[in-house]
Amino acid sequence: MAVATRAVGAVVAGLGLYAAFPPLGWWWAAPLGVALLLTVVDGRRARAAFGWGVLAALAYQYPLLHWTGTYVGAVWLGALAVVVLAVAIPVALFPLVRRVPGAPLWMACLWVAGEAAIERLPWGGFPWAKLAFGQAGGAYARLASLGGAPLVSFGVVLSGAGLWWLSTVLGRPTSGRPRAASGALGIAGALVAVLLGPVAGLVTPAHPATEPGEETITVAAVQGNVPRAGLDFAKQRRAVLDNHVRETRLLIQRVAAGRTPRPDLVIWPENSSDIDPFANADARAEIQAVTDEIGVPVVVGAVLRGAVNAAGTAYVEGPRNAAVVWTPRSATRPRGPTDQYVKRHLLPFGEYIPLRGLASLFSSDVARVVDFQPGTGTPVLAAGPARLGVATCYEVVFDDDVRDAVTGGADLLTVPTNNATFGDTNMTYQQQGMSRLRAIEHDRAVVIAATSGQSAVIAPDGAVVDRTGALYTPGVLVDRVPLRTTTTLATRLGPAPEWVLAALGVGAAAAGAGLAVRRRRPGGEPGETR
């Protein structure tokens, strides 16, 4: 295969992986992209395979992640360089596992190993581009309830590697390579690899949207909108708060007129009060007033600028991104803020700048990003009738963060998000796809409340029950959702499937390396010469 042909193939393969993600949502393009990528690198040494893997990963992840640099400039390219390695390194190891019987299986395991690494490193991880997050509407999605996002990615790559293997078995060798297998057995093995993931996903029972006798509540997600997009929206903090108060009061009017059911719980987005309501009496009074008027708890996304202890001395430095439960006036319960969760997993280059001195050399916008402080504790709030699990914006990408909420007793999940920071990009739609997969993974309804859109209500089976319209428009969603306490196999197993699959992939690469060494010894089979 000519170099130019390989280059085109690598780019098309990467674009196929990208196309699987929202808003396109062509989930079937991902296994085709994997198959094409393996065809491009088949027969190449590890160094060349790494290079083609980098090219494919750039075609995949640059359009997927470019929103991260919308307002901080070229500094985001550092994050891009890191996540590219999560694809390029497993692809570089493909020539090794190619030597081991059952190569499609081992390639799928290696891909999971790459995603496991980027889940954790660097800067606490940046796993936004996991293949699983492009599969919420596809045949592989229900695998999430069995083994979480890692099992979904595994199924996708296994199918793609199976397609590559099938083409090889059927007699289309590359650059003179002999067939990897022949006859009915080889074809059957390739077909198993292709079909195992989607068939297993389709036969896995879907979670029911509602079950007889289970408790349900009516939830309202308020999307107040922002004065303008980008980092500067925070300069009009009072306008953002006022917008959410206004939309909540319009909801109260519709409830009073009988046009909308009365909610049991109201959820505002992340940063809906960028004014600290604990430090600003006006903001606190406004939030309390509208909470009293609607008469149910309101979960407020607030930026807390500091805190003091009983002695009056500060003990927290820097802002914190919090979800605060605000309770209405009642004779039987306290009034005001009754519970809060502070976001634990902060977005690098968005909520804090790693290597700030170096990053500032690439963009003057770095100085505009104030480093937030991470929180601690279980991400579950006592919010009226619900035990509300909170994955604030970026946290929804982390397997452990969402699982912590469910194992901590959450019977409903919410993803409060401030997508206004990233302008008119696809970030919000990608996040919605992740939230759909989390609903399937843990058998929980998910409520997405976004400042500027797109807010959504997602059923436990991953279906979108309701959503707002165009970005940068106000709106309110009011829907009935189940409160569910069941646990899926994925919830119970936690990271175990990921670690097993990753270990198998690394072990297969080591075995392939051993075979390569033996074949280079005198009397062994000749190794690759290309």
PDB file of all heavy atoms in Angstrom, residues 270-299:
ATOM      1  N   GLU A 270     -25.104  24.388  36.522  1.00  0.00           N
ATOM      2  CA  GLU A 270     -23.799  24.835  37.006  1.00  0.00           C
ATOM      3  C   GLU A 270     -23.652  26.330  36.718  1.00  0.00           C
ATOM      4  O   GLU A 270     -24.015  26.810  35.639  1.00  0.00           O
ATOM      5  CB  GLU A 270     -22.716  24.043  36.275  1.00  0.00           C
ATOM      6  CG  GLU A 270     -21.288  24.430  36.615  1.00  0.00           C
ATOM      7  CD  GLU A 270     -20.288  23.731  35.713  1.00  0.00           C
ATOM      8  OE1 GLU A 270     -20.623  23.472  34.525  1.00  0.00           O
ATOM      9  OE2 GLU A 270     -19.176  23.461  36.177  1.00  0.00           O
ATOM     10  N   ASN A 271     -23.115  27.067  37.682  1.00  0.00           N
ATOM     11  CA  ASN A 271     -22.851  28.514  37.534  1.00  0.00           C
ATOM     12  C   ASN A 271     -24.113  29.337  37.312  1.00  0.00           C
ATOM     13  O   ASN A 271     -24.039  30.470  36.826  1.00  0.00           O
ATOM     14  CB  ASN A 271     -21.877  28.795  36.379  1.00  0.00           C
ATOM     15  CG  ASN A 271     -20.516  28.170  36.565  1.00  0.00           C
ATOM     16  OD1 ASN A 271     -19.832  27.860  35.611  1.00  0.00           O
ATOM     17  ND2 ASN A 271     -20.116  27.946  37.817  1.00  0.00           N
ATOM     18  N   SER A 272     -25.280  28.816  37.668  1.00  0.00           N
ATOM     19  CA  SER A 272     -26.495  29.623  37.533  1.00  0.00           C
ATOM     20  C   SER A 272     -26.482  30.799  38.499  1.00  0.00           C
ATOM     21  O   SER A 272     -27.139  31.810  38.265  1.00  0.00           O
ATOM     22  CB  SER A 272     -27.742  28.762  37.752  1.00  0.00           C
ATOM     23  OG  SER A 272     -27.635  27.985  38.933  1.00  0.00           O
ATOM     24  N   SER A 273     -25.731  30.661  39.598  1.00  0.00           N
ATOM     25  CA  SER A 273     -25.454  31.811  40.459  1.00  0.00           C
ATOM     26  C   SER A 273     -23.944  31.937  40.587  1.00  0.00           C
ATOM     27  O   SER A 273     -23.321  31.344  41.463  1.00  0.00           O
ATOM     28  CB  SER A 273     -26.083  31.650  41.851  1.00  0.00           C
ATOM     29  OG  SER A 273     -25.756  32.762  42.663  1.00  0.00           O
ATOM     30  N   ASP A 274     -23.363  32.705  39.682  1.00  0.00           N
ATOM     31  CA  ASP A 274     -21.926  32.924  39.750  1.00  0.00           C
ATOM     32  C   ASP A 274     -21.572  33.921  40.844  1.00  0.00           C
ATOM     33  O   ASP A 274     -20.408  34.164  41.127  1.00  0.00           O
ATOM     34  CB  ASP A 274     -21.411  33.416  38.395  1.00  0.00           C
ATOM     35  CG  ASP A 274     -19.962  33.038  38.172  1.00  0.00           C
ATOM     36  OD1 ASP A 274     -19.616  31.878  38.423  1.00  0.00           O
ATOM     37  OD2 ASP A 274     -19.177  33.902  37.751  1.00  0.00           O
ATOM     38  N   ILE A 275     -22.614  34.493  41.461  1.00  0.00           N
ATOM     39  CA  ILE A 275     -22.432  35.293  42.674  1.00  0.00           C
ATOM     40  C   ILE A 275     -22.568  34.343  43.865  1.00  0.00           C
ATOM     41  O   ILE A 275     -23.528  33.581  43.956  1.00  0.00           O
ATOM     42  CB  ILE A 275     -23.509  36.385  42.771  1.00  0.00           C
ATOM     43  CG1 ILE A 275     -23.463  37.284  41.535  1.00  0.00           C
ATOM     44  CG2 ILE A 275     -23.347  37.210  44.032  1.00  0.00           C
ATOM     45  CD1 ILE A 275     -24.606  38.269  41.459  1.00  0.00           C
ATOM     46  N   ASP A 276     -21.613  34.388  44.762  1.00  0.00           N
ATOM     47  CA  ASP A 276     -21.636  33.510  45.930  1.00  0.00           C
ATOM     48  C   ASP A 276     -22.827  33.883  46.830  1.00  0.00           C
ATOM     49  O   ASP A 276     -22.826  34.957  47.456  1.00  0.00           O
ATOM     50  CB  ASP A 276     -20.327  33.657  46.700  1.00  0.00           C
ATOM     51  CG  ASP A 276     -20.216  32.701  47.878  1.00  0.00           C
ATOM     52  OD1 ASP A 276     -21.233  32.076  48.255  1.00  0.00           O
ATOM     53  OD2 ASP A 276     -19.098  32.589  48.424  1.00  0.00           O
ATOM     54  N   PRO A 277     -23.851  33.028  46.934  1.00  0.00           N
ATOM     55  CA  PRO A 277     -25.011  33.390  47.750  1.00  0.00           C
ATOM     56  C   PRO A 277     -24.737  33.350  49.246  1.00  0.00           C
ATOM     57  O   PRO A 277     -25.536  33.856  50.037  1.00  0.00           O
ATOM     58  CB  PRO A 277     -26.051  32.340  47.350  1.00  0.00           C
ATOM     59  CG  PRO A 277     -25.251  31.158  46.918  1.00  0.00           C
ATOM     60  CD  PRO A 277     -24.009  31.712  46.290  1.00  0.00           C
ATOM     61  N   PHE A 278     -23.625  32.776  49.650  1.00  0.00           N
ATOM     62  CA  PHE A 278     -23.258  32.778  51.066  1.00  0.00           C
ATOM     63  C   PHE A 278     -22.573  34.087  51.459  1.00  0.00           C
ATOM     64  O   PHE A 278     -22.540  34.446  52.623  1.00  0.00           O
ATOM     65  CB  PHE A 278     -22.347  31.595  51.387  1.00  0.00           C
ATOM     66  CG  PHE A 278     -23.023  30.261  51.267  1.00  0.00           C
ATOM     67  CD1 PHE A 278     -22.928  29.528  50.098  1.00  0.00           C
ATOM     68  CD2 PHE A 278     -23.780  29.752  52.309  1.00  0.00           C
ATOM     69  CE1 PHE A 278     -23.553  28.299  49.981  1.00  0.00           C
ATOM     70  CE2 PHE A 278     -24.413  28.526  52.196  1.00  0.00           C
ATOM     71  CZ  PHE A 278     -24.301  27.793  51.028  1.00  0.00           C
ATOM     72  N   ALA A 279     -22.014  34.759  50.446  1.00  0.00           N
ATOM     73  CA  ALA A 279     -21.295  36.003  50.724  1.00  0.00           C
ATOM     74  C   ALA A 279     -22.069  37.237  50.291  1.00  0.00           C
ATOM     75  O   ALA A 279     -21.772  38.339  50.751  1.00  0.00           O
ATOM     76  CB  ALA A 279     -19.937  35.987  50.021  1.00  0.00           C
ATOM     77  N   ASN A 280     -23.054  37.063  49.413  1.00  0.00           N
ATOM     78  CA  ASN A 280     -23.803  38.201  48.875  1.00  0.00           C
ATOM     79  C   ASN A 280     -25.250  38.125  49.342  1.00  0.00           C
ATOM     80  O   ASN A 280     -25.993  37.219  48.962  1.00  0.00           O
ATOM     81  CB  ASN A 280     -23.728  38.190  47.346  1.00  0.00           C
ATOM     82  CG  ASN A 280     -24.360  39.411  46.719  1.00  0.00           C
ATOM     83  OD1 ASN A 280     -25.582  39.562  46.731  1.00  0.00           O
ATOM     84  ND2 ASN A 280     -23.535  40.285  46.157  1.00  0.00           N
ATOM     85  N   ALA A 281     -25.657  39.064  50.162  1.00  0.00           N
ATOM     86  CA  ALA A 281     -26.992  39.039  50.757  1.00  0.00           C
ATOM     87  C   ALA A 281     -28.088  39.178  49.698  1.00  0.00           C
ATOM     88  O   ALA A 281     -29.151  38.561  49.809  1.00  0.00           O
ATOM     89  CB  ALA A 281     -27.124  40.142  51.799  1.00  0.00           C
ATOM     90  N   ASP A 282     -27.846  39.988  48.658  1.00  0.00           N
ATOM     91  CA  ASP A 282     -28.853  40.166  47.618  1.00  0.00           C
ATOM     92  C   ASP A 282     -29.102  38.869  46.855  1.00  0.00           C
ATOM     93  O   ASP A 282     -30.254  38.500  46.586  1.00  0.00           O
ATOM     94  CB  ASP A 282     -28.412  41.259  46.639  1.00  0.00           C
ATOM     95  CG  ASP A 282     -28.477  42.648  47.257  1.00  0.00           C
ATOM     96  OD1 ASP A 282     -29.147  42.797  48.302  1.00  0.00           O
ATOM     97  OD2 ASP A 282     -27.867  43.571  46.704  1.00  0.00           O
ATOM     98  N   ALA A 283     -28.022  38.184  46.476  1.00  0.00           N
ATOM     99  CA  ALA A 283     -28.172  36.923  45.762  1.00  0.00           C
ATOM    100  C   ALA A 283     -28.880  35.888  46.630  1.00  0.00           C
ATOM    101  O   ALA A 283     -29.773  35.161  46.160  1.00  0.00           O
ATOM    102  CB  ALA A 283     -26.800  36.402  45.333  1.00  0.00           C
ATOM    103  N   ARG A 284     -28.499  35.820  47.890  1.00  0.00           N
ATOM    104  CA  ARG A 284     -29.134  34.873  48.804  1.00  0.00           C
ATOM    105  C   ARG A 284     -30.632  35.159  48.926  1.00  0.00           C
ATOM    106  O   ARG A 284     -31.461  34.243  48.875  1.00  0.00           O
ATOM    107  CB  ARG A 284     -28.463  34.944  50.169  1.00  0.00           C
ATOM    108  CG  ARG A 284     -29.001  33.919  51.170  1.00  0.00           C
ATOM    109  CD  ARG A 284     -28.363  34.099  52.541  1.00  0.00           C
ATOM    110  NE  ARG A 284     -28.803  33.064  53.455  1.00  0.00           N
ATOM    111  CZ  ARG A 284     -28.051  32.082  53.918  1.00  0.00           C
ATOM    112  NH1 ARG A 284     -26.798  31.985  53.527  1.00  0.00           N
ATOM    113  NH2 ARG A 284     -28.543  31.181  54.752  1.00  0.00           N
ATOM    114  N   ALA A 285     -30.981  36.436  49.058  1.00  0.00           N
ATOM    115  CA  ALA A 285     -32.391  36.794  49.204  1.00  0.00           C
ATOM    116  C   ALA A 285     -33.183  36.452  47.953  1.00  0.00           C
ATOM    117  O   ALA A 285     -34.337  35.987  48.039  1.00  0.00           O
ATOM    118  CB  ALA A 285     -32.513  38.278  49.520  1.00  0.00           C
ATOM    119  N   GLU A 286     -32.591  36.673  46.796  1.00  0.00           N
ATOM    120  CA  GLU A 286     -33.300  36.390  45.547  1.00  0.00           C
ATOM    121  C   GLU A 286     -33.536  34.889  45.381  1.00  0.00           C
ATOM    122  O   GLU A 286     -34.624  34.458  44.992  1.00  0.00           O
ATOM    123  CB  GLU A 286     -32.506  36.942  44.358  1.00  0.00           C
ATOM    124  CG  GLU A 286     -33.271  36.880  43.055  1.00  0.00           C
ATOM    125  CD  GLU A 286     -32.602  37.673  41.948  1.00  0.00           C
ATOM    126  OE1 GLU A 286     -31.433  38.044  42.104  1.00  0.00           O
ATOM    127  OE2 GLU A 286     -33.259  37.904  40.925  1.00  0.00           O
ATOM    128  N   ILE A 287     -32.516  34.091  45.683  1.00  0.00           N
ATOM    129  CA  ILE A 287     -32.668  32.637  45.586  1.00  0.00           C
ATOM    130  C   ILE A 287     -33.698  32.137  46.594  1.00  0.00           C
ATOM    131  O   ILE A 287     -34.560  31.308  46.274  1.00  0.00           O
ATOM    132  CB  ILE A 287     -31.305  31.942  45.804  1.00  0.00           C
ATOM    133  CG1 ILE A 287     -30.352  32.276  44.655  1.00  0.00           C
ATOM    134  CG2 ILE A 287     -31.485  30.432  45.924  1.00  0.00           C
ATOM    135  CD1 ILE A 287     -28.923  31.839  44.902  1.00  0.00           C
ATOM    136  N   GLN A 288     -33.622  32.654  47.816  1.00  0.00           N
ATOM    137  CA  GLN A 288     -34.571  32.212  48.839  1.00  0.00           C
ATOM    138  C   GLN A 288     -36.001  32.601  48.460  1.00  0.00           C
ATOM    139  O   GLN A 288     -36.934  31.820  48.647  1.00  0.00           O
ATOM    140  CB  GLN A 288     -34.217  32.816  50.187  1.00  0.00           C
ATOM    141  CG  GLN A 288     -35.041  32.259  51.339  1.00  0.00           C
ATOM    142  CD  GLN A 288     -34.790  30.781  51.553  1.00  0.00           C
ATOM    143  OE1 GLN A 288     -33.673  30.364  51.864  1.00  0.00           O
ATOM    144  NE2 GLN A 288     -35.834  29.964  51.390  1.00  0.00           N
ATOM    145  N   ALA A 289     -36.177  33.788  47.914  1.00  0.00           N
ATOM    146  CA  ALA A 289     -37.518  34.256  47.567  1.00  0.00           C
ATOM    147  C   ALA A 289     -38.155  33.365  46.510  1.00  0.00           C
ATOM    148  O   ALA A 289     -39.322  32.949  46.642  1.00  0.00           O
ATOM    149  CB  ALA A 289     -37.458  35.701  47.079  1.00  0.00           C
ATOM    150  N   VAL A 290     -37.422  33.058  45.455  1.00  0.00           N
ATOM    151  CA  VAL A 290     -38.018  32.243  44.388  1.00  0.00           C
ATOM    152  C   VAL A 290     -38.209  30.801  44.857  1.00  0.00           C
ATOM    153  O   VAL A 290     -39.152  30.119  44.444  1.00  0.00           O
ATOM    154  CB  VAL A 290     -37.167  32.323  43.105  1.00  0.00           C
ATOM    155  CG1 VAL A 290     -35.899  31.484  43.201  1.00  0.00           C
ATOM    156  CG2 VAL A 290     -37.997  31.902  41.897  1.00  0.00           C
ATOM    157  N   THR A 291     -37.344  30.339  45.752  1.00  0.00           N
ATOM    158  CA  THR A 291     -37.530  28.994  46.319  1.00  0.00           C
ATOM    159  C   THR A 291     -38.794  28.939  47.166  1.00  0.00           C
ATOM    160  O   THR A 291     -39.576  27.979  47.083  1.00  0.00           O
ATOM    161  CB  THR A 291     -36.306  28.596  47.164  1.00  0.00           C
ATOM    162  OG1 THR A 291     -35.133  28.662  46.354  1.00  0.00           O
ATOM    163  CG2 THR A 291     -36.451  27.189  47.713  1.00  0.00           C
ATOM    164  N   ASP A 292     -39.018  29.959  47.967  1.00  0.00           N
ATOM    165  CA  ASP A 292     -40.247  30.016  48.768  1.00  0.00           C
ATOM    166  C   ASP A 292     -41.486  30.081  47.865  1.00  0.00           C
ATOM    167  O   ASP A 292     -42.504  29.467  48.157  1.00  0.00           O
ATOM    168  CB  ASP A 292     -40.222  31.227  49.694  1.00  0.00           C
ATOM    169  CG  ASP A 292     -39.211  31.082  50.828  1.00  0.00           C
ATOM    170  OD1 ASP A 292     -38.793  29.941  51.104  1.00  0.00           O
ATOM    171  OD2 ASP A 292     -38.835  32.111  51.417  1.00  0.00           O
ATOM    172  N   GLU A 293     -41.374  30.809  46.781  1.00  0.00           N
ATOM    173  CA  GLU A 293     -42.516  30.956  45.888  1.00  0.00           C
ATOM    174  C   GLU A 293     -42.897  29.641  45.212  1.00  0.00           C
ATOM    175  O   GLU A 293     -44.087  29.326  45.081  1.00  0.00           O
ATOM    176  CB  GLU A 293     -42.211  32.014  44.824  1.00  0.00           C
ATOM    177  CG  GLU A 293     -42.141  33.433  45.361  1.00  0.00           C
ATOM    178  CD  GLU A 293     -41.566  34.400  44.350  1.00  0.00           C
ATOM    179  OE1 GLU A 293     -41.739  34.148  43.125  1.00  0.00           O
ATOM    180  OE2 GLU A 293     -40.935  35.395  44.756  1.00  0.00           O
ATOM    181  N   ILE A 294     -41.907  28.870  44.793  1.00  0.00           N
ATOM    182  CA  ILE A 294     -42.244  27.613  44.129  1.00  0.00           C
ATOM    183  C   ILE A 294     -42.540  26.515  45.135  1.00  0.00           C
ATOM    184  O   ILE A 294     -43.209  25.538  44.838  1.00  0.00           O
ATOM    185  CB  ILE A 294     -41.135  27.193  43.134  1.00  0.00           C
ATOM    186  CG1 ILE A 294     -41.691  26.163  42.157  1.00  0.00           C
ATOM    187  CG2 ILE A 294     -39.890  26.664  43.856  1.00  0.00           C
ATOM    188  CD1 ILE A 294     -40.845  25.954  40.933  1.00  0.00           C
ATOM    189  N   GLY A 295     -42.017  26.654  46.353  1.00  0.00           N
ATOM    190  CA  GLY A 295     -42.397  25.767  47.434  1.00  0.00           C
ATOM    191  C   GLY A 295     -41.774  24.391  47.435  1.00  0.00           C
ATOM    192  O   GLY A 295     -42.231  23.497  48.154  1.00  0.00           O
ATOM    193  N   VAL A 296     -40.716  24.195  46.640  1.00  0.00           N
ATOM    194  CA  VAL A 296     -40.002  22.909  46.624  1.00  0.00           C
ATOM    195  C   VAL A 296     -38.511  23.207  46.603  1.00  0.00           C
ATOM    196  O   VAL A 296     -38.093  24.327  46.264  1.00  0.00           O
ATOM    197  CB  VAL A 296     -40.391  22.057  45.397  1.00  0.00           C
ATOM    198  CG1 VAL A 296     -41.883  21.746  45.408  1.00  0.00           C
ATOM    199  CG2 VAL A 296     -39.977  22.720  44.091  1.00  0.00           C
ATOM    200  N   PRO A 297     -37.665  22.232  46.934  1.00  0.00           N
ATOM    201  CA  PRO A 297     -36.222  22.491  46.910  1.00  0.00           C
ATOM    202  C   PRO A 297     -35.728  22.862  45.515  1.00  0.00           C
ATOM    203  O   PRO A 297     -36.191  22.322  44.506  1.00  0.00           O
ATOM    204  CB  PRO A 297     -35.616  21.163  47.377  1.00  0.00           C
ATOM    205  CG  PRO A 297     -36.702  20.497  48.154  1.00  0.00           C
ATOM    206  CD  PRO A 297     -37.979  20.892  47.481  1.00  0.00           C
ATOM    207  N   VAL A 298     -34.783  23.779  45.476  1.00  0.00           N
ATOM    208  CA  VAL A 298     -34.122  24.189  44.242  1.00  0.00           C
ATOM    209  C   VAL A 298     -32.634  23.894  44.390  1.00  0.00           C
ATOM    210  O   VAL A 298     -32.000  24.333  45.353  1.00  0.00           O
ATOM    211  CB  VAL A 298     -34.331  25.688  43.954  1.00  0.00           C
ATOM    212  CG1 VAL A 298     -33.582  26.102  42.684  1.00  0.00           C
ATOM    213  CG2 VAL A 298     -35.815  26.007  43.811  1.00  0.00           C
ATOM    214  N   VAL A 299     -32.077  23.132  43.454  1.00  0.00           N
ATOM    215  CA  VAL A 299     -30.641  22.844  43.455  1.00  0.00           C
ATOM    216  C   VAL A 299     -29.964  23.922  42.621  1.00  0.00           C
ATOM    217  O   VAL A 299     -30.198  24.045  41.414  1.00  0.00           O
ATOM    218  CB  VAL A 299     -30.337  21.449  42.888  1.00  0.00           C
ATOM    219  CG1 VAL A 299     -28.829  21.181  42.893  1.00  0.00           C
ATOM    220  CG2 VAL A 299     -31.058  20.378  43.699  1.00  0.00           C
TER     221      VAL A 299
END
